[in-house]
Every structure is written in structure tokens, then in C-alpha cells.
Amino acid sequence: RARPSLPGVPASVPPSPRRRVPARPRGVSRMISPRASSDAAPRARHDVVVVGNGPVGSAVARHVAEAGKSVLVLDGSDTLTSASNDVGRIVRPLDAEGRETWTEWNVRSIDAFPSIEARSGIEFFRKCGSLACGTPAFVEKPRRRLEEARVKHVSHASGGDVERAFPFLNVPDTHVAVSDAVGGFVDPGKMIQAQNAIMLSVSHTGASNRARKTSCAVVRDSAVGVDRREEEEEEERGANKKAAPFAVRTKKGATYEADAVVLAGGAYTRWLASSSGLLPVENIPAKNEHGLSPEKTRRSGVGAIRNSRRTVLLAEVTEATARGALRDMPTVKYQFAPARFPARGNEKETKKETEKENSHSRNEAMSVYVLPPILYPGPDPPKGWYVKIGGGANDFFDDSAAGTARVVEDLDAWMRSDGDEAVADALHDVLVSLMPDVNFLSLVSKPCVTTCTDDGELQCDALGGGGVFAVSGCQGKAAGPADAIGRDVAEAVIEAM
């Protein structure tokens, strides 16, 4: 099948004790191997600079390198993130809203995992299957996408059927479900490590037919600005050489030149593009099959990205439970009664936000995702087996702060918190209702941030005259399918160079 296009390129049991753990310190490790990163760049100029070493950024960099381009990845390891600092992110062949593009990315990425693990020598994917359970309307579209993608699956006609297949669950009899044995979850830190390892090992044959190592590196530093340079010539060893069209400035005071730049900094992407003067998006003619056609409207484009505060809850179970009763637990997407979650803001504003919501936001507001027990290594949370649950309505940051230093300050403050206690309590209520026979030993709530758009699609805008590609709007679900997303973004970048 043809690869999907990128929008904008031309996510009665007593309460368990809540365990509070210290806020994680700045500079949380992303499990990058020592040979995959450094504090100083080996060279100042590369074909492509990728800002952000998360699931998507690391995948983009690897695929660009495999196309024979030199790549520098800026790993803002002193910036707190929500994807890379966790050890479990869902990946399943179906998309919860039944979106065709996301379904295809999911399937392609899952298909690629064995090769990535084999080439890197790093395991990061656990196949445990996936389950979507809710009303017939909630399940129908994802089920249809599975059929279209020719993924083997099982339909469950009632809540009773679901409980017989998964006896640790308790769901309304009016619910139906669809399950598969293909999905599971990834450890995003290890997946990033695998992508980096492959990128650094890539070699290609140059014009002289001599095999040479592609110049690639991962540097621990954060971008603070991207400058577009005017056409100029510079002297180098007595010969004229055209200067690189873009320069990326960093927190440590370095400057890296590049022919193209990819902004894949998650919740920081819109801020960096805006503060660098790259927004609003220019009208750039289409250049490739991905359709380089940025939008000026509020409903799409990186300029329309909104950051949402999310809270996840980690519920501890014993190792005996993890390896016993919950041994065969799949990842779960479960529709519950929306009234269980606290409303954010005043009633009038909440109604306005609801009217603007896309299918992804509506789906999130009425559902949760649950991962099977995962062994967290500690210290945050303390070492142990945890069932992870998240979901509920979006709680957006103040959009008026876009492009200002307050964006970074607000994100940093949120990511140092324990999340929203009211949301954590609501997640606990859903969890004990869904899994009433499981004894949860303790609870740890943690903050998360997702990037959302009004149209619910991933955005990849060509900015700065076409040489800066800003990728965001992951809707909280891009970690799993990041490899396929990265491949498509890399192809768009290479074709535009």
C-alpha cells in the first residue's frame, strides 16, 4: 500500500495508598549509550541537524543517515520529557479513533521492530497483544481498520465474552471489544538507544566509490534558536564555499550549521519555531509525494499545536501477580463513563473546548489506556511491578504564552510536579472498577505532556523557506509508531534538500 501522507508536509475497593516520590532531578537519563552521545560536536556542519532525541527525532535521524546524509542530533537531556523517561508506551496495530494514517504507521513500525532490535542488539518491544473495549460505536471503526490492514483479530460480542477471554477484567455486558495478538508496548528509552546505535553504525559509499563512515553524532545540548542565513560565500582553505543556509544555536553556546533542520522537540517544538521567527507558516509549493502544503488556518500546522497537561497513574502489584494472574494481560483501551473525571476550568470554557474537540480529544475524554505490569527499575518510581493507566480529558496550557520563555517555564514546572491529584484519583477509580480483583499495593502519580491539534493529526510543516521541518501534534500516541513516522519525515526532508 502507498505510504500515508503527512498532514502539513508539502492520543467497592478501598483506595490504595498514594506513594509520593521526590520530583525527578533535572537531567534524567534517557538511557543513551555512552558511545551514542557526547558533550561536544565532532564537526560544526552537517547535512541535517535534528533537534530532539525522542522516539520520533531519533527515528528521523536514523533514516536520514541511512540515506547517506550526515546527521547531528541534539539531545536535550537536561530538559524533562514524558515519553523518553518512561519504560512503557503502547503500540498496537489499531488506532483508537480508527484513523487510517495512524493505523498504517502502527503496523509498519511493529513490522520493523524485529529488524531494529536485531541490528542494534537492543530489545525494546514486548508483544502482549492489545484490546479495545467499549460501546459498539467506540469499537467499530478501529475494528474496520484492522480488517483493512489485514491484521488478524478477534471480535468479542459482549462484556461477558470479554471477561471470559480476560478474566481479570470487569466490564459492562453492553460493551463489545476487538483484540489482537500483534500489539504490545515499547520501552521508549531503549528504542531511542537502538535508533541511535544504528545511526552511528551506518556507512555509505561516497562519490569516489570509497566506503566511508557517515558523519553522525548525538550531542547533549538543547537548541535555543534556528537562524536562516542569507546567500553568502565564505573562505575555506583558500576556496569559496557556500555557507550552510541554517544555523542552530544551543544552550551551551555552540552553533551548528546545516542544509536542513528537523524540529522534533515534542512540546517545545512550537515554542522553538515561533521564537526563531519561523512562524507563521509560509506558503511553500508542494515538492514531493508527502504534499508540502502548510496551512495558515488555526485547525492545522505546527502554529496550531497546543500542549496538554496529562497525568498517569502507576499502580504497584506483586511480582506474583505480574507473573501469575496478569501474565497474559494485553494493553487495553477502555471506554468508561466520562462523568468520573473532574471538569477542568469553568463550565463555559469547558463547553467551548468541547465544541472544538476532534475525534481524538472526544475519545480521550471518555476512555483510558492501561498497560500490563511492567518492571520499573527505580528509583522514580521505586523499583517494582506497576500497571500504568492514563487518559481522560485534555487540560491545555495557556495558549497565549506560545513563543515566549513562559512556555519552557510552565512545562518545566509541570514536569517536576506529581501531576493532577484529582485526575489521579479518577484514574484510580476507573482502574479498581475495571480490575476489582487485583490488589494494588501503592500508587504513584506522574506528569505527562501531549501535543494536540484541532484536527487530531500529526503535523509536519516546512518552514524557513522549506529547509526547516517542524514535527509535532503527536496526540500522545507517536512513541509506538515513531519509526514509520520518522521514515516518512526523513523522506520528505531528503526530497526537499
Side-chain angles (χ1 to χ4, degrees):
R1 297 180 61 183
R3 287 177 180 164
S5 61
L6 293 168
V9 173
S12 60
V13 178
S16 306
R18 180 79 50 81
R19 178 186 293 170
R20 294 297 178 186
V21 296
R24 62 177 72 80
R26 200 170 187 83
V28 174
S29 169
R30 293 201 182 178
M31 295 183 287
I32 301 301
S33 62
R35 73 199 235 1
S37 59
S38 63
D39 290 318
R43 55 181 280 179
R45 179 167 179 170
H46 287 72
D47 294 326
V48 180
V49 169
V50 177
V51 178
N53 194 31
V56 172
S58 61
V60 172
R62 172 208 148 197
H63 288 294
V64 168
E66 289 186 320
K69 303 295 183 182
S70 62
V71 187
L72 175 74
V73 182
L74 289 176
D75 178 5
S77 55
D78 64 340
T79 300
L80 302 175
T81 65
S82 55
S84 306
N85 295 331
D86 200 354
V87 298
R89 296 297 299 271
I90 286 179
V91 57
R92 55 197 168 207
L94 63 84
D95 177 66
E97 293 81 53
R99 293 176 183 263
E100 183 177 7
T101 301
W102 284 97
T103 298
E104 182 118 359
W105 280 331
N106 290 337
V107 172
R108 283 170 49 199
S109 291
I110 292 172
D111 288 345
F113 288 161
S115 173
I116 298 171
E117 290 181 326
R119 292 177 62 191
S120 67
I122 300 169
E123 294 183 357
F124 56 83
F125 174 56
R126 177 184 160 192
K127 183 183 288 189
C128 61
S130 58
L131 172 75
C133 180
T135 64
F138 182 85
V139 173
E140 174 56 26
K141 198 169 182 181
R143 183 195 61 77
R144 201 163 62 240
R145 292 299 185 208
L146 285 178
E147 289 183 351
E148 293 170 356
R150 298 181 180 178
V151 174
K152 290 183 179 180
H153 59 278
V154 176
S155 293
H156 308 271
S158 68
D161 286 348
V162 174
E163 292 174 1
R164 281 186 286 275
F166 307 99
F168 43 81
L169 297 180
N170 174 50
V171 302
D173 195 56
T174 52
H175 274 22
V176 298
V178 60
S179 63
D180 65 80
V182 177
F185 60 88
V186 297
D187 180 326
K190 289 184 178 179
M191 183 170 67
I192 292 166
Q193 192 178 9
Q195 297 282 24
N196 288 166
I198 295 174
M199 178 192 74
L200 293 171
S201 69
V202 165
S203 65
H204 72 281
T205 302
S208 62
N209 290 325
R210 290 181 305 170
R212 66 179 180 85
K213 201 79 169 177
T214 304
S215 179
C216 299
V218 180
V219 176
R220 294 191 187 97
D221 205 349
S222 301
V224 296
V226 180
D227 301 322
R228 181 183 178 188
R229 295 178 168 180
E230 300 296 328
E231 291 286 337
E232 60 182 37
E233 299 291 324
E234 61 180 15
E235 293 294 324
E236 184 175 313
R237 296 182 182 177
N240 286 333
K241 181 180 179 181
K242 184 182 288 187
F246 299 100
V248 180
R249 293 175 284 105
T250 75
K251 187 176 180 180
K252 293 183 178 179
T255 298
Y256 301 103
E257 298 179 347
D259 295 316
V261 177
V262 178
L263 306 182
Y268 298 89
T269 296
R270 180 185 174 188
W271 162 78
L272 184 58
S274 181
S275 62
S276 299
L278 298 171
L279 296 177
V281 178
E282 302 172 17
N283 284 318
I284 305 168
K287 294 184 180 180
N288 58 44
E289 65 183 87
H290 303 296
L292 291 168
S293 55
E295 299 285 347
K296 282 188 174 181
T297 66
R298 177 69 178 85
R299 294 194 61 77
S300 65
V302 170
I305 298 296
R306 291 188 293 171
N307 294 333
S308 176
R309 301 176 189 85
R310 310 310 298 271
T311 298
V312 300
L313 190 68
L314 301 177
E316 187 181 10
V317 298
T318 65
E319 182 176 359
T321 298
R323 297 186 183 278
L326 302 183
R327 179 186 58 190
D328 299 322
M329 179 179 173
T331 66
V332 179
K333 185 70 172 178
Y334 174 65
Q335 183 184 19
F336 65 94
R340 290 185 182 176
F341 273 74
R344 319 311 308 163
N346 64 60
E347 186 175 337
K348 189 182 222 178
E349 288 300 314
T350 300
K351 184 177 180 183
K352 278 168 60 179
E353 288 296 332
T354 302
E355 290 172 351
K356 292 194 302 182
E357 283 178 346
N358 56 67
S359 61
H360 173 74
S361 292
R362 289 192 298 271
N363 186 292
E364 285 293 286
M366 69 173 69
S367 66
V368 294
Y369 63 85
V370 187
L371 277 75
I374 302 173
L375 179 60
Y376 280 70
D380 178 15
K383 184 177 179 179
W385 292 86
Y386 293 87
V387 171
K388 177 183 174 183
I389 181 172
N394 282 309
D395 179 16
F396 293 110
F397 285 83
D398 181 5
D399 199 45
S400 66
T404 70
R406 208 180 98 204
V407 170
V408 178
E409 295 169 0
D410 289 349
L411 286 170
D412 186 72
W414 171 250
M415 290 306 296
R416 290 183 182 281
S417 75
D418 292 321
D420 188 313
E421 187 169 355
V423 172
D425 288 342
L427 288 170
H428 175 261
D429 291 344
V430 174
L431 184 61
V432 296
S433 173
L434 179 63
M435 304 174 70
D437 296 330
V438 177
N439 179 30
F440 295 110
L441 307 177
S442 66
L443 304 172
V444 178
S445 59
K446 298 178 75 67
C448 180
V449 176
T450 59
T451 55
C452 307
T453 53
D454 288 351
D455 60 9
E457 296 289 354
L458 179 80
Q459 306 298 312
C460 182
D461 286 351
L463 312 174
V468 178
F469 292 79
V471 186
S472 193
C474 294
Q475 323 295 331
K477 58 184 180 181
D483 184 67
I485 293 171
R487 179 184 289 275
D488 285 354
V489 172
E491 289 183 357
V493 172
I494 292 165
E495 289 171 9
M497 291 179 69

